[in-house]
């Protein structure tokens, strides 16, 4: 099932479904959506939606400035020129989470004076800088020796690291972003990453969801250094928390703007509940199986054999999360 597209044109939805780069879109008098291509595409996710907000002083603020590439620098520069600005006009880059397709260009814009704004918990993850998965995870999951080398190599080639990002402003739940003349409020939504945040602007009727809720793809969960929490439980709690904003138009990090946040959140939650039930059945049938063994016996959208590198890592990590839920009686 897909989210309602009543707030977006059919052509933009179809372009997103095909993975094509849509044209920039003016949302209202002071807000634009700027699609930026990803130079390390993963499945159907081929571009990130950067949101461009003008403040009361004609300064520009970017929500998720996109992947760091020369093409994206050109696209952003050309766009700013079209609206009568330049890179020096950008006052801040607000980052919903650590993935480089969302924050990659922040360091370049910081060189031009733009502050990097990030959730406080997410900023703490920068200091950890831990490779994932490490040898401990591969052993714990029961990954066969013959598969470990290839998995490590593919993950290394596709690694998304953010160690060079410097955070200027750390924000927490309920904070209002430093955007003159606009009231954009921070909502903590851990799950996709440890400190993922969404942003709410009631005045414009927009809910900037980052990768917390997407219209087509079920977001990945939990490639982060844990502190005893199950990322899956955190994510499901965050889904429940954000349905209060169902009256707003969802402006996600990928895909297209849509309405029906509560319905889409329920669809994603049920996807995970169904997987927990499948894992529970697999564990009842063969309780001694490792994460690797259990993952082989539960249904995956495209089949486990089609998943390689980071996508296989995600499948194994999420299998472990579901197994933890089952052991805790959450099914």
């Amino acid at each position: 099932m897909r989210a309602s597209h009543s707030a977006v044109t059919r052509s933009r939805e179809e372009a997103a479904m095909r993975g094509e780069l849509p044209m920039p879109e003016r949302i209202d008098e002071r807000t634009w959506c700027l699609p930026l291509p990803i130079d390390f595409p993963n499945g159907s996710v081929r571009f990130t939606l950067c949101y461009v907000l003008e403040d009361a002083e004609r300064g520009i603020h970017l929500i998720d400035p996109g992947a760091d590439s020369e093409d994206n620098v050109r696209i952003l520069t050309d766009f700013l020129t079209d609206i009568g600005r330049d890179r020096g006009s950008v006052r801040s880059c607000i980052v919903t989470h650590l993935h480089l397709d969302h924050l990659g260009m922040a360091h370049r814009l910081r060189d031009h004076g733009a502050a990097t704004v990030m959730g406080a918990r997410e900023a703490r993850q920068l200091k950890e800088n831990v490779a994932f998965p490490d040898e401990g995870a591969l052993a714990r999951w029961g990954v066969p020796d013959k598969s470990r080398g290839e998995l490590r190599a593919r993950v290394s080639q596709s690694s998304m690291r953010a160690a060079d990002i410097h955070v200027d402003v750390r924000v927490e739940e309920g904070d209002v972003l430093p955007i003159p003349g606009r009231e954009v409020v921070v909502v903590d939504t851990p799950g996709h990453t440890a400190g993922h945040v969404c942003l709410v602007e009631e005045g414009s009727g927009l809910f900037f969801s980052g990768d917390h809720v997407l219209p087509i793809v079920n977001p990945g969960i939990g490639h982060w250094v844990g502190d005893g929490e199950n990322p899956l439980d955190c994510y499901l709690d965050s889904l429940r928390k954000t349905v209060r904003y169902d009256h707003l138009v969802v402006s996600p990090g990928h895909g297209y703007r849509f309405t029906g946040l509560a319905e889409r959140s329920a669809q994603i939650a049920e996807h995970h509940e169904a997987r927990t039930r499948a894992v529970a059945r697999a564990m009842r049938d063969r309780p001694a199986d490792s994460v690797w063994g259990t993952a082989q016996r539960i249904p995956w959208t495209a089949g486990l054999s089609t998943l390689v590198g980071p996508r296989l890592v995600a499948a194994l990590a999420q299998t472990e999360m579901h197994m933890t839920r089952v052991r805790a009686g959450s099914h």
Side-chain angles (χ1 to χ4, degrees), residues 3 45 209-219 252-255 258 264 268:
V45 179
S209 70
D211 279 1
H212 174 56
V213 177
L214 302 175
I216 305 172
V217 176
N218 293 319
H254 307 284
F258 64 94
R264 180 61 182 142
I268 297 172

Side-chain angles (χ1 to χ4, degrees), residues 61-328:
H61 304 261
L62 305 179
I63 297 176
D64 288 344
D68 186 18
S69 70
E70 294 302 325
D71 278 349
N72 280 349
V73 171
R74 176 185 54 77
I75 292 170
L76 175 62
T77 301
D78 289 349
F79 173 80
L80 292 172
T81 299
D82 288 344
I83 64 170
R85 307 292 196 282
D86 57 26
R87 276 185 274 173
S89 303
V90 180
R91 303 287 184 260
S92 71
C93 291
I94 302 106
V95 177
T96 61
H97 63 290
L98 279 176
H99 292 162
L100 288 186
D101 56 324
H102 290 258
L103 59 68
M105 277 207 292
H107 75 98
R108 295 201 196 218
L109 293 161
R110 189 171 184 271
D111 290 343
H112 289 266
T116 300
V117 182
M118 185 183 293
R121 182 172 179 178
E122 197 77 330
R124 289 194 293 271
Q125 290 286 306
L126 285 170
K127 298 180 180 179
E128 302 290 348
N129 197 28
V130 175
F132 185 86
D134 58 17
E135 289 300 321
L138 295 176
R140 186 175 70 248
W141 293 343
V143 178
D145 290 342
K146 65 180 181 180
S147 299
R148 291 191 190 187
E150 181 183 1
L151 192 57
R152 282 193 296 266
R154 286 182 178 270
V155 171
S156 176
Q157 291 167 4
S158 304
S159 180
M160 292 171 58
R161 308 298 293 276
D164 296 332
I165 298 297
H166 181 90
V167 181
D168 300 292
V169 180
R170 292 165 171 78
V171 293
E172 298 184 350
E173 172 81 18
D175 285 349
V176 178
L177 295 180
I179 303 177
R182 301 187 72 150
E183 188 168 326
V184 182
V185 180
V186 176
V187 180
D188 286 337
T189 51
H192 181 66
T193 61
H196 188 289
V197 297
C198 294
L199 305 166
V200 173
E201 188 176 32
E202 291 279 359
S204 63
L206 297 174
F207 179 85
F208 300 100
S209 70
D211 279 1
H212 174 56
V213 177
L214 302 175
I216 305 172
V217 176
N218 293 319
I221 300 173
H223 284 195
W224 40 277
V225 180
D227 50 10
E229 298 172 296
N230 184 338
L232 178 55
D233 288 334
C234 292
Y235 182 64
L236 293 172
D237 286 344
S238 293
L239 285 178
R240 287 187 284 269
K241 175 182 180 180
T242 53
V243 298
R244 72 185 72 167
Y245 302 109
D246 186 55
H247 60 290
L248 302 176
V249 175
V250 183
S251 303
H254 307 284
Y256 51 88
R257 291 187 301 122
F258 64 94
T259 56
L261 175 60
E263 180 182 4
R264 180 61 182 142
S265 295
Q267 291 170 2
I268 297 172
E270 174 52 28
H271 166 80
H272 289 292
E273 295 291 357
R275 184 151 291 164
T276 297
R277 293 192 293 269
V279 167
R281 290 192 294 270
M283 292 174 69
R284 283 195 297 269
D285 292 343
R286 292 169 60 172
D289 263 7
S290 65
V291 170
W292 177 269
T294 302
Q296 312 298 314
R297 296 185 297 105
I298 60 177
W300 299 93
T301 302
L304 189 67
S305 62
T306 68
L307 304 181
V308 296
R311 298 179 73 191
L312 178 56
V313 168
L316 295 172
Q318 289 182 40
T319 299
E320 183 177 46
M321 294 175 212
H322 287 286
M323 293 176 74
T324 299
R325 284 194 87 216
V326 171
R327 294 187 182 110

